[in-house]
Amino acid sequence: MALLKKVNQILLVLLVLTVCVILYNKVHRVPSTLKNETAHLENGEEMEEEIPVVICAAAGRMGAVIAAINSIYSNTDANVLFYIVGLKNSIPHIRQWIENSKLREINFKIVEFNPMVLKGKIRHDASRPELLQPLNFVRFYLPLLIQKHEKVIYLDDDVIVQGDIQELYNTKLAPGHAAALSDDCDLPSTHEMVRSVGMQNTYMGFLDYRKQTVRDLGISPSTCSFNPGVFVANMTEWKHQRITKQLEKWMQKNVEENLYSSTLAGGVATSPMLIVFHEKYSAINPLWHIRHLGWSPDTRYSEHFLQDAKLLHWNGRYKPWDYPSVHTDLWEKWFIPDPSGKFKLIRPDT
């Protein structure tokens, strides 16, 4: 009898201990479903790096930035933050367009650009006045507009993106390089286009080599140029090398000495960058900047070549929202009509 009583006491103690263990686990252990969700969120947060994309919204061509943003947003799962830069009078229009379309879901900030920073730095030129618009120089002032990011993508508004913008953002920049750009000689497939419409792809087409200041740079006129309408920037290097101050110096020199002008191939925003970044930039994948689509209303690339392109750029006079222009179907598929009706496409039947 005493033995049975002792066994019962032991069993009772074991039962109490088991209950205590169960209660402890219920109180202190995260349920498995919640733990899985937490792990998923943590992994998601680790992967959700913000990709800042800077693009300008200019009055009169507002539909361009809408198509560009839509093409980027539709072709990536990345967390893109759009910095949309405009002048004060154009900001309400672009905000209304975004908020009243499917683009209301994008992550964006609208930044006002103060054109007073350009005072005394732009030489008046009547041949192509559109190239003197203040927003053409936003790319010079990235650190003033974008503060918290180490790496930034800058895009002209006359582009559409067919690839995942994450790929462009992942471009490796060499130590000491403040930007990665696409060299005008990097893609043999474009050389025939360049020759057929008489475009320049060397420094000779952008700088006036009759001027002693230009010759003193020691840059061969046959050096391949680049197009700064698409680039990835390292903001730490940009600030460390005082790139903005260097660009402003050459803008002021041009005002004084007329070293370059819009009558040359690339206008007035490309030339200072060619000088400052000479032999000091990394390369982006050439397929991330297929350009010259706006250079001629008659010359076209092959459809197969354009299908492989990651980014298309209608640099030149002939824009895809206007007429005449080429490959407009590739651009128009990303265009979202203006809810206010102010911006309209120009087509042969309109």
Side-chain angles (χ1 to χ4, degrees):
M1 195 72 178
L3 180 61
L4 182 61
K5 185 176 180 182
K6 191 169 183 179
V7 169
N8 286 339
Q9 287 175 341
I10 293 171
L11 290 172
L12 181 61
V13 169
L14 289 173
L15 179 63
V16 170
L17 286 173
T18 302
V19 170
C20 288
V21 168
I22 292 171
L23 288 173
Y24 179 87
N25 285 340
K26 281 184 177 290
V27 171
H28 292 278
R29 201 172 74 190
V30 178
S32 60
T33 53
L34 180 58
K35 186 164 75 173
N36 290 339
E37 288 173 9
T38 305
H40 175 72
L41 288 172
E42 288 173 352
N43 291 338
E45 287 171 2
E46 287 172 9
M47 295 172 63
E48 278 297 278
E49 183 179 9
E50 217 167 46
I51 298 179
V53 174
V54 179
I55 192 164
C56 295
R61 49 192 285 165
M62 204 74 73
V65 69
I66 291 293
I69 289 174
N70 189 28
S71 70
I72 296 167
Y73 176 66
S74 300
N75 285 306
T76 188
D77 291 324
N79 180 22
V80 180
L81 173 58
F82 293 97
Y83 284 88
I84 304 169
V85 186
L87 301 180
K88 188 174 183 179
N89 61 352
S90 66
I91 286 176
H93 186 190
I94 191 64
R95 186 183 296 278
Q96 179 192 28
W97 199 332
I98 290 171
E99 292 177 350
N100 289 279
S101 73
K102 74 170 191 175
L103 295 182
R104 69 176 67 90
E105 300 173 359
I106 68 170
N107 188 13
F108 74 100
K109 292 182 180 180
I110 292 182
V111 181
E112 181 183 342
F113 182 66
N114 184 354
M116 289 305 295
V117 300
L118 301 171
K119 188 175 181 180
K121 301 183 184 75
I122 300 177
R123 185 183 184 88
H124 293 292
D125 191 327
S127 60
R128 288 194 66 185
E130 74 275 14
L131 296 176
L132 303 178
Q133 295 301 315
L135 294 180
N136 275 338
F137 302 93
V138 162
R139 72 198 85 195
F140 292 7
Y141 295 95
L142 293 180
L144 300 182
L145 303 169
I146 313 300
Q147 319 245 302
K148 67 173 185 173
H149 302 285
E150 167 70 14
K151 200 175 185 183
V152 173
I153 294 173
Y154 171 87
L155 300 177
D156 277 353
D157 63 352
D158 51 355
V159 308
I160 60 109
V161 171
Q162 300 185 142
D164 187 338
I165 198 73
Q166 180 79 55
E167 292 179 30
L168 182 60
Y169 185 74
N170 290 343
T171 300
K172 301 294 185 187
L173 277 72
H177 286 178
L181 301 119
S182 188
D183 193 294
D184 281 335
C185 301
D186 62 10
L187 198 60
S189 305
T190 66
H191 293 176
E192 185 179 345
M193 164 79 86
V194 170
R195 286 192 298 270
S196 66
V197 296
M199 283 184 291
Q200 291 284 346
N201 62 354
T202 66
Y203 275 55
M204 175 65 85
F206 296 84
L207 302 176
D208 188 348
Y209 275 83
R210 295 171 299 179
K211 303 295 173 65
Q212 187 61 45
T213 301
V214 172
R215 294 198 298 272
D216 287 345
L217 289 168
I219 301 173
S220 168
S222 62
T223 301
C224 273
S225 53
F226 57 75
N227 183 297
V230 176
F231 64 87
V232 182
N234 179 319
M235 290 289 92
T236 300
E237 279 296 334
W238 192 291
K239 288 181 275 193
H240 176 69
Q241 297 179 33
R242 298 169 61 85
I243 297 294
T244 298
K245 287 295 182 186
Q246 291 188 59
L247 292 167
E248 286 185 326
K249 181 186 89 168
W250 286 103
M251 292 170 74
Q252 288 166 336
K253 277 186 175 291
N254 185 57
V255 170
E256 298 161 6
E257 303 179 43
N258 195 21
L259 304 177
Y260 52 85
S261 75
S262 62
T263 56
L264 297 172
V268 294
T270 300
S271 301
M273 293 191 74
L274 288 176
I275 295 170
V276 172
F277 285 100
H278 176 244
E279 295 185 345
K280 295 178 183 175
Y281 65 91
S282 298
I284 64 173
N285 181 333
L287 290 176
W288 270 101
H289 196 180
I290 302 303
R291 47 208 177 276
H292 313 319
L293 277 76
W295 206 262
S296 166
D298 304 310
T299 309
R300 303 173 67 91
Y301 286 115
S302 76
E303 295 302 322
H304 177 73
F305 175 65
L306 293 178
Q307 285 173 6
D308 291 337
K310 304 288 189 178
L311 180 148
L312 303 177
H313 188 185
W314 279 262
N315 59 308
R317 295 175 184 267
Y318 302 99
K319 303 302 185 185
W321 55 88
D322 210 340
Y323 180 83
S325 56
V326 297
H327 302 298
T328 53
D329 56 317
L330 295 174
W331 180 88
E332 199 168 333
K333 68 183 287 189
W334 302 111
F335 174 69
I336 300 172
D338 183 359
S340 73
K342 295 175 185 174
F343 182 93
K344 291 181 170 59
L345 300 182
I346 305 300
R347 294 295 179 255
D349 55 350
T350 60

